[in-house]
Amino acid sequence: LDAPRMVFNPANAGSVAAAAARPGVAYVIGRTLYLAMTNRSNAATIIETRGPGFAMPPESFFVPYRDPPHSLSREPEAEELADVVDLFYEKLEIVGMGENDPGVVFAGMGEPLLRMDQIRETIEQVHESRHGVPFRVSTNGLFPPSAAVALADAGISKATVALATADPTQYAELMRPESGDHATVCGFIASLAEAGVEVEAAVVERPGVDVAAARKLAEALGAGFRTRTWHP
């Protein structure tokens, strides 16, 4: 999933921040800055679920971490992540009341909530000087309701959760969770919504997945809905 080449856009604040960061720590999609927390995951990664033909665009500056003892194996700590966010906002042009603020997303190759402490600490450090920065997390949602409450308390305002399907049996096949199941994800989504987090449930439009049923389930759980493209 390494991009064959990196395309730098000096007019894009996310591109500037991602290029300046240690390789693997940050990447950009559109105008939004993404922070890569880890390669580790407790299920199929969101990138894997996009299909074997999926690749991050070269302008994203996406580089996966390496396995130890490679020099690019070290997962980032809060101070490093906060510095990247600070550079991003130094370069970002915000208008009005921040209507064009793309925010920052905790994501990456693996599951970001496996590093919950670092997420909380990063938000704390950023909000010390930049109170209004909106943070989102992209997660598989295989966590208890208490984790959803902890995200809300930490300052996460939005979340994208990989619902994958409305069918519990199909979910197990698609996501291959190490622990938890489809009910776990549904409970996590509902808990986020109840905690006041703006949550969207995501489904990859792959063959065999009933997107309409998944949308109906997402709405019943109190979430918005989005689809992701499938790349065979």
Side-chain angles (χ1 to χ4, degrees):
L1 289 171
D2 290 82
R5 59 191 177 87
M6 298 299 173
V7 178
F8 178 64
N9 178 3
N12 185 313
S15 187
V16 172
R22 181 168 58 88
V25 171
Y27 57 105
V28 59
I29 299 176
R31 296 178 62 248
T32 303
L33 180 70
Y34 287 72
L35 301 177
M37 303 303 292
T38 183
N39 275 8
R40 296 177 289 121
S41 187
N42 54 350
T45 68
I46 292 173
I47 289 177
E48 286 177 318
T49 65
R50 299 295 299 276
F54 178 76
M56 296 292 284
E59 62 269 21
S60 69
F61 275 80
F62 178 82
V63 180
Y65 295 113
R66 301 295 195 273
D67 293 330
H70 196 283
S71 60
L72 295 183
S73 68
R74 179 168 57 87
E75 296 175 339
E77 297 299 328
E79 184 175 358
E80 182 176 18
L81 294 167
D83 285 346
V84 175
V85 175
D86 191 54
L87 176 59
F88 175 60
Y89 277 93
E90 282 181 8
K91 302 297 182 181
L92 190 65
E93 294 185 6
I94 300 293
V95 299
M97 299 297 291
E99 296 91 346
N100 70 330
D101 188 344
V104 178
V105 184
F106 294 103
M109 174 72 83
E111 172 50 51
L113 296 196
L114 294 178
R115 307 196 70 222
M116 188 68 175
D117 288 344
Q118 287 74 24
I119 288 176
R120 185 186 66 253
E121 291 168 9
T122 300
I123 295 173
E124 287 177 355
Q125 290 189 32
V126 171
H127 281 173
E128 285 178 1
S129 57
R130 300 183 184 275
H131 309 291
V133 172
F135 283 94
R136 176 164 65 93
V137 66
S138 180
T139 174
N140 60 34
L142 285 163
F143 296 87
S146 59
V149 174
L151 282 175
D153 290 345
I156 290 290
S157 56
K158 297 182 179 181
T160 302
V161 183
L163 179 61
T165 174
D167 182 335
T169 300
Q170 186 180 49
Y171 179 87
E173 297 170 355
L174 297 178
M175 294 300 296
R176 307 187 302 278
E178 293 178 358
S179 61
D181 54 19
H182 190 253
T184 306
V185 177
C186 291
F188 184 80
I189 291 172
S191 296
L192 280 173
E194 291 170 3
V197 176
E198 182 181 334
V199 55
E200 60 179 5
V203 168
V204 176
E205 296 178 304
R206 61 182 294 162
V209 171
D210 187 337
V211 174
R215 181 187 298 273
K216 185 176 181 180
L217 174 59
E219 293 171 351
L221 294 171
F225 185 76
R226 66 173 293 189
T227 57
R228 291 176 166 135
T229 53
W230 168 251
H231 300 260

